Each structure stands twice: as structure tokens, then as C-alpha cells.
Amino acid sequence: MSDALVIGAGPAGLMAAEELSRAGRRVVVAEAKASPARKFLMAGKSGLNVTRDEALEGFIARYDAGWLAPMLAEFGPVEVRDWCRGLGQEVFTGSSGRVFPKAMKASPLLRGWLRRLDGAGVEFRMRWRWAGFAGEGWRFETPEGERVLTPRVVVLALGGASWSRLGSDGAWVPWLRERGVEIAPWKPANMGLKVIWSPQMARHFGAAVKGACLRAGEVTSRGEFVVSAKGLEGGGIYAVSRAVREGAALELDLMPDVPEAEVAARLARMKPGESATNRLRKLGLSPVASALVMEWGRGQPLAVVKHLPVRHAGPRSLDEAISVAGGITRASLTEGLELRALPGVFACGEMLDWEAPTGGYLLTASWATGRWAGRAAARVG
Ligand SMILES: Cc1cc2nc3c(=O)[nH]c(=O)nc-3n(C[C@H](O)[C@H](O)[C@H](O)COP(=O)(O)OP(=O)(O)OC[C@H]3O[C@@H](n4cnc5c(N)ncnc54)[C@H](O)[C@@H]3O)c2cc1C
């Protein structure tokens, strides 16, 4: 019988492996892909945002899951920065409060981390895909054929169900459901929106809309977003995406720093026969912002720039989302993140049912829950 088995070598699983090994357990990490932490490496492609420079209380309030509080209190914004530094990666805080490693990428951090795990004796089995149960055993598809393991303790860190080509495909849901684990249905989180554009919009694909304010229900965002052939994406959209998913109408204020009366006065001063495009340019709108007004505000007074309705066709697919809502429910877990239905089996990371915005919250919670589950699993005899 092997000792401690971690399934999934993403940020959560590697953290759980580190804690188990620190506690003196013999740890094997089984990973379906040929190399570890592919989503983490992808996250680093656009600037790896590891956490946020924010007081703990406000930081925790950004999660929809108060039950993560004790885990985030032990491994939150301060600890994440120290941990990165411990791996030789200096970090800095950007103007928005987001924290990045100086290298901006995930690869140096991951290299250092894997070296440390290797030095601690953690063993990796790559291309080992957990494929369900075989009685009390854990059945794997491996390059050498099927293998069944019966470890003393297991930590599941299989990720959510988006960007499946990087490994987290949610295939495990029915296997755990069969064993009595409650799993909330997946929903896309931090996702773009689909838009069916008129042909005139094609020349603006790839252009960023900057400085606009997005409003959906109670939520407002001043982030940037990009117009693409498929619709709208980027931080500004992700910030309002949950409210939109839950049914709120989305509108744009393309001149958030200019009061509505001032916009109306400026428009009134323009020559009567002037084209709408010229007027929008004179208001200071970028070509892509004016194109959005022509696309969605046609037939309305130009003051619609202050509350332009976004005519979208719903959220992009689950697989295209940055993260997911849904997963193993809080009620299925003990305080130590052990599955009530499967004693000796723990779970962590994005496979648990919590949701948070982008901006370092996702990685911080994946590490915090991985550490928590690893520590609790290490106590199993
Ligand atoms: C494009 C993009 C950018 C992002 N940017 C950021 C960012 O800047 N900041 C931030 O905080 N978050 C960011 N995220 C989110 C962040 O990457 C994830 O929240 C985090 O990786 C989740 O960690 P995890 O360990 O729970 O799951 P994952 O990283 O998904 O790891 C799960 C692992 O389990 C393996 N696995 C799955 N099924 C099996 C199986 N059956 N058998 C064996 N192994 C299996 C997978 O191959 C994978 O390696 C980004 C995500 C994306 C897609």
C-alpha cells in the first residue's frame, strides 16, 4: 500500500504535496498530463497575478464562500508574497493592487517549486490519469497500462471544468457523485460574453475599449475590455460577468468622467448637420467606442454614450471561462476538507464550490485550500 497520493499537479495539488511531505509522509503525485501545472503556466502568459495587496478582511469578502476564511487567514495575501519570495521570486504590487512576480511569468516560480518538491522526495507520475474506482482502489490509465493504487490517504486537486485542454475536464464528477459526494453544477465564471456583430464591426476586432465604466445590477467595473470576433472579453467584462450570468442587464458608460448634462451640452453645441460619427469623435470617443455606439445605440440620441445597452448573446461557454462556479459543496466536506462520504479522501482548489473574481483571488484560494487539505491529510494515520 502506498502512503499519500495527490491527484492533480496544479497549484492546489502541489501545495498539498508539499505539506504532506513536510509532515514526513511519502507522497506520490499523479497527473494526467505530460507535465505539471499547465493552467498555472497559461495564467502566467498574460502576467501572473498571484494575489492582491489588500487587507485580509476585504480580501476574504471578495469570495462567495465565507467558509474559506480560516484557510485564507492562514495563507492569504501576505503569506503568498512571502512564499513566492521563498522560491526566489521577488514580487511587486501594480497600480491596481494586483501582485505579480517580477518575472511576470509562472515558469520560474514553478521550476523552483518543483525543484524543492523533488528535493523533499515527492515522486511524480506523469500521464497517470485517474479513471475512477476499482472497488476500494484508485484506478489509473498510465502509459504502462492500467494501475490500481490503494493509498492510506488521498488528496484530490483535479481543478474545475474550464480550459479542458490544459487538464481540468471535470470527468471525475460522476465517479464522486456515485460515492455520495454532492457536487453543485458547473457554471462559467470570469468569462467573456458572446455577441453577434454586424459586418461593420469586423475592422474593430482586437481593439481595446479603455476607460469605460461597465454596470450590471449592483456591480460596476472600470476595467478594460476587448472587442473580438466572438464578442467581448477582458478584465472589465469578467468583473461584471457573474451579475450578467445571474440575469442583470449590462450597460456601458463610455464617458464616465463627464457628467450627463455636460455631454448633452457638448452635443448641443455641435453643428446640426454633422454626422453621428463626427460628433462621437468630437466627444473624444475612440474609433472602437464610437463603433459600439453605432452598433447598439442606433436610432437613439447620442447621449446614450452614458448608458449604452450591451446587446450580447449570453456568456461564453464553460470551457472558455477563466474559472468556474460549482463543484464539491461545502456540505460534503469536513472542516479539514475531507469528503464526508469518503473518509481519508480530501479535496482542494478549484474543484470545490467557491467563486471569486480574477486578480489573484483564484490562485490564492487554490494554494490556501491545498495547504489546508494537505495539512489535514497528513494527520490521517
Ligand atoms: C487563461 C487563464 C489565466 C488565469 N490567470 C490567473 C491569474 O492571473 N491569477 C489567478 O489567481 N488565477 C488565474 N487563473 C486561474 C488559475 O489558473 C486557476 O484557478 C488555478 O490553476 C486552479 O488551480 P487547481 O490546482 O485547483 O486546478 P488546475 O490548475 O486546473 O490543476 C488541476 C490539475 O489536475 C489534473 N487532472 C485533472 N483531472 C485529472 C485526472 N483524472 N487524473 C489526473 N490528473 C488530473 C489536471 O491535468 C491539472 O494539472 C487563470 C486561468 C486561466 C485559464
Side-chain angles (χ1 to χ4, degrees), residues 7-13 30-33 37 39-40 42-43 47-49 128-130 157-159 163 166-169 322 349-350 360-363 366:
I7 313 182
E31 163 59 47
K33 292 287 177 185
K39 190 177 272 183
F40 181 56
M42 174 60 78
L48 185 72
N49 186 191
W128 272 48
R129 182 181 165 71
W130 177 44
L158 302 161
W163 287 66
L166 303 178
S168 50
D169 57 11
I322 294 291
E350 222 182 290
Y361 299 100
L362 302 170
L363 279 172
S366 298

Side-chain angles (χ1 to χ4, degrees), residues 106-128:
S107 42
L109 192 67
L110 181 61
R111 264 198 308 276
W113 196 10
L114 292 173
R115 223 176 331 182
R116 192 160 81 187
L117 290 167
D118 188 51
V122 173
E123 288 179 43
F124 286 86
R125 307 269 186 274
M126 305 315 286
R127 293 202 179 89
W128 272 48

